[in-house]
Amino acid sequence: MNLNTDWLIVVQGSNILTAIDKPWEILKASALAELLVDDGCSYLIGDYFGQSCHVIELEKDIDGYEWINLRSQLGRAPDMQYQLASRAIQLVTWMKQHQYCGQCGANTHYHEIESALHCQPCGIYYYPRISPCMMCMITKGDYCLLAQHQKHAGGFYSTLAGFVEAGESIEQTLHREVMEEVGLTVKNLSYFSSQPWPFPHQLMVGYFAEYDAGDIIVDGEEIIDAQWFHYSDLPQVPPSESLSGMMIEAFVQQRSLVSADKTLSRDTE
Ligand SMILES: [Zn+2]
């Protein structure tokens, strides 16, 4: 690492180190040089403004700095900065959990070019764990289906979501999860967007789907309530920085335009 030019992200779990009373920014390695002598290894995670950016994990506190949760910076910090910190947190968590080879038990070592952990005796590379998770917004004309998850009981209503199982396509996951969670069949899937969610290693993949058939029957475990909501009368929903929030916003916008179009054509008839 070049202490004069390189950047450093210091992490602790899902928290990042930031100077007290300042908006969070990626720090110059020179400002934290003493950490690099005392504590653990640093790992190269990418480029930032043309210079290398590294991550280091730290257990202790530092005078003049505090820990903030990375989630609080979603939609607030610049994209590139947020993305590097996401990567930093995700890689550190994963490396901590994969210090040994699962096949022979030897220590693994980080291979910077491959961005993978390497077991020398076995010659195996272990790549970062990324778990695809489908997210589905079911629509029926001006209505959309939103569900309350057990873990958000009493709180917001959201789109459906579920992890992709081994051997499944994302579309198969979607049909299976929708049936399991609310007892419906859907059709006409259309891809919306994706979002990395490094808490700890999801990649959310968002789809719209149209209602096909069935009556809502919630599973009662993961989902405690699910209802059709008119786009103009939604319950509390996730923030618009999350993929779920973005999908709900896109739906509301689309239906508002359709409604405005209808009004316009009525008026001009
Ligand atoms: Zn091995």
Side-chain angles (χ1 to χ4, degrees), residues 101-106 108 119-124 126:
C101 172
Q103 182 162 276
C104 76
T108 55
C119 171
Q120 214 144 24
C122 298
I124 298 178
Y126 294 100

